[in-house]
Amino acid sequence: MRRWLSFTNLVGLVVLVLGGLGLWSLQGDGGSQSLNLPSDLENQGPRTVKLHFAKDTEDGLLVEERTIQIAEGEYTLGRVLEELVKGPQIQGAAPLVPAGTPAPTVFLRENTALVDLPAAYGRLGYGTAGEMALIYGIANTLLEFREVQQVKFLLEGKEVESLGHLSLLDPFKRQGQ
């Protein structure tokens, strides 16, 4: 009969226990060390942002650079969407939504911007070109921030297939990703 507790088995058991304790201690602090890198989203004060609006010829988007003031404690992405909803200030650009339409709410989870569109966006009744300008205008504006790798759209907090024409099931990403 073989001996179950040999010197080799004992050493293996000690290594296994020490490895398990080491793993357990790492998981106690979230499993990884995080770096405190500077974030574009935490800067307050004047800030130049790029807003993507529809062309008034309905055949694409125009980029407007605008300087906005970010107040202390204000969420940068939410502020940027408020500016986008206000409409363009440059020639040749058209607003993405009618005046008085509320701005969407935006949350950043990991590197995904979750854009929660208010109910009014589901009732806009845009054709394909208008809906594409709206969705791509919001997505491209948010993708200007390095913290945002993709944009996912919700309607009233729920996933929807579309607003009528353009699929919203998959996240929107930068070109080439």
Side-chain angles (χ1 to χ4, degrees):
M1 184 179 227
R2 289 186 177 164
R3 221 170 101 187
W4 184 80
L5 190 61
S6 69
F7 178 73
T8 307
N9 287 347
L10 186 59
V11 170
L13 182 61
V14 168
V15 168
L16 182 65
V17 168
L18 290 175
L21 286 173
L23 180 62
W24 177 72
S25 70
L26 281 177
Q27 289 179 341
D29 70 351
S32 66
Q33 299 290 330
S34 61
L35 295 173
N36 286 331
L37 297 175
S39 169
D40 281 345
L41 302 178
E42 297 170 358
N43 295 340
Q44 63 185 27
R47 172 102 195 249
T48 301
V49 295
K50 292 181 181 179
L51 305 173
H52 294 252
F53 291 103
K55 287 183 181 177
D56 59 9
T57 57
E58 298 181 10
D59 62 345
L61 299 173
L62 285 176
V63 178
E64 175 186 330
E65 284 194 14
R66 186 180 298 179
T67 301
I68 61 174
Q69 185 71 28
I70 306 292
E72 184 176 347
E74 187 172 30
Y75 187 48
T76 302
L77 295 179
R79 178 75 165 83
V80 167
L81 288 187
E82 289 173 8
E83 286 296 315
L84 194 62
V85 168
K86 283 182 185 177
Q89 297 174 352
I90 59 172
Q91 284 292 107
L96 297 177
V97 293
T101 305
T105 306
V106 61
F107 307 95
L108 188 62
R109 185 180 327 149
E110 295 171 3
N111 289 9
T112 301
L114 296 168
V115 178
D116 190 8
L117 301 170
Y121 286 67
R123 296 188 300 269
L124 288 173
Y126 283 171
T128 304
E131 190 174 311
M132 286 181 70
L134 171 67
I135 297 300
Y136 281 102
I138 294 171
N140 288 343
T141 296
L142 294 174
L143 288 169
E144 292 286 346
F145 294 87
R146 71 172 182 249
E147 292 87 352
V148 178
Q149 297 299 313
Q150 58 185 9
V151 179
K152 178 80 177 138
F153 288 90
L154 307 170
L155 181 63
E156 294 186 273
K158 298 178 187 122
E159 269 194 51
V160 292
E161 190 172 320
S162 75
L163 294 179
H165 305 280
L166 184 65
S167 174
L168 300 179
L169 294 176
D170 294 323
F172 292 78
K173 300 177 181 183
R174 284 186 186 89
Q175 293 292 333
Q177 279 191 334

